[in-house]
Amino acid sequence: MKLSTRILLLIILLCQVPAFGQKISDDSLLKKANQEIYNNPDNAIGIGKKLLQKEKDINKSIKIYLLLSTAEIAKRNFDESLRHILKARELVRKTSDLKVQTSFFILAAIQFQQMELYSKSLETLDEADEYLTQLPEGLSFKYFETARSYALRGMIYKSQSNPEIALQEFIIAVKNFEKVKQKKTTYFNQSIMYYNIGYCYLSLNQREKAEQAFIKSMDFAGLIKAKSLEAFALKGMAEVHKQKHQNKAALELLIKAQELGKESGDLTLNEGIYKDMADNYLAMGEQDQYQQFSRKYIETRYKREQRELSSIDHAIDAHIIETQKKNREIISRYNYLIATSVIAGLIVLTLLTLMSLKIRKRNTNYQKEIQKLLRS
């Protein structure tokens, strides 16, 4: 699995500010949790769990579960992330808040995309779009969510080797992010979009445009001091140098990326860095370094895949449970309809029988009257 197809986890930050709304964003603890999702996801999780223990409002509880899910994905802990999403899903059925519903379905779509369940991800995105269309025009939230929807679709197209279509989706996403009034809330997302735009240009063999996109990604990441995003941007820039056979320059950037990525503990980031470092050392003929980083790459990849397999197993179990629940509901409705039909049928049959008996009795009386008349 290529790193460029896994970067979508970063988009999860897209849901943080709009999903929480104005009131909950005023809480300093929750703001702190949002700010630390990438650089210190464990702290964000700790804050979220404490807030959840005392929260009684359904909508706010959903938002906290989404925060926890996002932080877990930042750690590549898909199993825990899915668990929080399933809890949020139960609560979503009890709310009529369009913003919360939209944010939930997009985050769920991100989860499915991460597990490479692309058709399920697109299906969930369609559900999110249904709520999006009900929101009034001109809202920053709507621009933000629209951008996120295009961004996610772009990720799916890119992972399916359609860089031209993916590039179109990413550019539309960027334009919508630019319409959001709170500019600082989009810096994360701008960085992510330009990173992916850069890789689309690389796939199309347009290296100069790719390098410009990676530089923009780096600049936006620097504005909010997001070290993991800076590391991804550096990795992209290193790829440009590698394709130009400038292996030493590429390694210098990758070493910087490795240092920046240490704090986040991002397995996918480290996996990609180790692989690229191994490739560059091999091109330079340094076998010892090549062997060292090849081993690190394989070990990190194995660890990431084990986590993902666990999450997929739980996703399948959750899908089976949901399907069984729907089947029970359908059977229950079917049985109700059958019972109603039977009762209605019995009532009609009873009425018809009574009417028939009444008519027979009346006819019998008529016959007796006729007999009397004939005798007289």
Side-chain angles (χ1 to χ4, degrees):
M1 186 185 306
K2 296 181 180 179
L3 174 63
S4 59
T5 66
R6 305 294 307 171
I7 185 61
L8 181 59
L9 70 97
L10 300 176
I11 290 188
I12 295 163
L13 281 175
L14 305 180
C15 72
Q16 294 307 304
V17 175
F20 281 87
Q22 192 61 42
K23 290 183 179 179
I24 199 165
S25 293
D26 292 337
D27 188 291
S28 60
L29 283 176
L30 200 52
K31 283 185 177 180
K32 184 179 180 182
N34 284 323
Q35 293 167 356
E36 294 190 353
I37 283 178
Y38 276 113
N39 292 330
N40 196 345
D42 287 325
N43 192 39
I45 291 168
I47 293 172
K49 286 182 177 180
K50 287 181 180 178
L51 291 172
L52 194 59
Q53 289 175 358
K54 58 184 179 181
E55 187 57 66
K56 296 181 179 180
D57 182 84
I58 290 179
N59 289 333
K60 289 184 179 180
S61 294
I62 293 170
K63 295 164 187 174
I64 295 172
Y65 276 124
L66 294 181
L67 165 70
L68 291 171
S69 178
T70 299
E72 292 292 357
I73 289 183
K75 293 176 61 180
R76 291 299 196 274
N77 194 345
F78 299 124
D79 196 13
E80 281 298 302
S81 174
L82 180 61
R83 187 170 66 85
H84 293 309
I85 283 180
L86 293 175
K87 287 184 177 180
R89 186 174 187 174
E90 292 300 316
L91 296 178
V92 165
R93 293 171 176 167
K94 302 175 183 179
T95 183
S96 58
D97 190 316
L98 288 174
K99 292 183 178 181
V100 172
Q101 290 166 328
T102 303
S103 295
F104 166 76
F105 282 109
I106 290 183
L107 181 55
I110 289 170
Q111 174 69 273
F112 290 127
Q113 191 276 346
Q114 288 289 293
M115 293 185 289
E116 298 184 15
L117 303 173
Y118 299 133
S119 60
K120 185 65 177 177
S121 180
L122 291 171
E123 176 187 325
T124 307
L125 268 183
D126 289 339
E127 289 185 77
D129 288 345
E130 289 179 11
Y131 293 105
L132 262 179
T133 56
Q134 298 178 49
L135 292 168
E137 296 296 330
L139 287 180
S140 287
F141 177 86
K142 187 168 186 174
Y143 291 131
F144 197 97
E145 295 287 17
T146 300
R148 186 174 62 168
S149 180
Y150 277 107
L152 182 52
R153 293 177 191 277
M155 291 291 182
I156 293 173
Y157 289 128
K158 191 179 75 165
S159 65
Q160 295 176 332
S161 301
N162 290 314
E164 296 94 343
I165 299 176
L167 187 60
Q168 294 174 9
E169 303 292 307
F170 290 141
I171 290 173
I172 294 173
V174 167
K175 289 179 179 179
N176 277 277
F177 281 131
E178 290 173 351
K179 295 178 182 179
V180 177
K181 294 179 181 179
Q182 299 83 3
K183 297 299 180 184
K184 289 184 178 180
T185 66
T186 66
Y187 290 160
F188 279 105
N189 311 298
Q190 299 277 38
S191 176
I192 295 163
M193 288 299 93
Y194 279 113
Y195 171 86
N196 286 281
I197 286 172
Y199 266 98
C200 286
Y201 280 128
L202 277 179
S203 298
L204 297 171
N205 202 30
Q206 299 181 37
R207 294 171 186 164
E208 290 185 5
K209 288 185 177 181
E211 189 169 13
Q212 292 172 5
F214 289 132
I215 290 172
K216 285 185 177 180
S217 176
M218 183 84 173
D219 291 341
F220 279 113
L223 290 173
I224 31 87
K225 302 186 186 303
K227 293 181 180 179
S228 61
L229 294 184
E230 289 184 67
F232 273 108
L234 284 169
K235 183 190 175 300
M237 293 167 67
E239 180 65 26
V240 175
H241 286 291
K242 186 176 78 171
Q243 291 191 12
K244 292 180 179 179
H245 305 291
Q246 299 169 350
N247 303 106
K248 187 175 180 180
L251 280 168
E252 290 175 356
L253 293 172
L254 288 169
I255 291 170
K256 291 180 181 178
Q258 185 183 15
E259 289 298 316
L260 288 170
K262 281 182 179 179
E263 292 183 21
S264 67
D266 189 320
L267 292 178
T268 299
L269 173 60
N270 291 331
E271 176 188 340
I273 290 173
Y274 293 148
K275 183 180 186 304
D276 286 353
M277 291 181 78
D279 291 344
N280 279 286
Y281 279 123
L282 180 64
M284 294 171 66
E286 298 187 23
Q287 288 295 324
D288 291 341
Q289 294 285 5
Y290 166 71
Q291 294 290 344
Q292 177 186 344
F293 284 99
S294 289
R295 184 170 59 255
K296 286 186 176 182
Y297 160 66
I298 293 171
E299 290 172 352
T300 307
R301 179 177 179 178
Y302 176 78
K303 188 175 181 180
R304 173 185 57 78
E305 288 177 345
Q306 290 305 304
R307 282 190 184 181
E308 292 174 0
L309 284 172
S310 176
S311 295
I312 291 172
D313 287 341
H314 280 75
I316 292 172
D317 291 341
H319 180 70
I320 291 172
I321 292 171
E322 184 67 19
T323 301
Q324 290 174 342
K325 186 175 181 180
K326 288 181 179 178
N327 287 340
R328 286 195 297 270
E329 291 175 355
I330 291 172
I331 292 171
S332 177
R333 287 198 296 269
Y334 176 77
N335 289 338
Y336 174 78
L337 290 173
I338 292 296
T340 303
S341 299
V342 170
I343 292 171
L346 289 173
I347 292 172
V348 171
L349 182 61
T350 300
L351 291 173
L352 290 175
T353 301
L354 290 173
M355 290 176 63
S356 177
L357 291 173
K358 186 176 181 180
I359 292 171
R360 286 184 180 181
K361 185 177 181 180
R362 187 171 58 190
N363 289 340
T364 300
N365 291 333
Y366 285 158
Q367 288 177 358
K368 289 180 179 179
E369 291 294 329
I370 292 172
Q371 290 296 330
K372 287 181 180 180
L373 291 171
L374 290 173
R375 287 178 190 150
S376 63

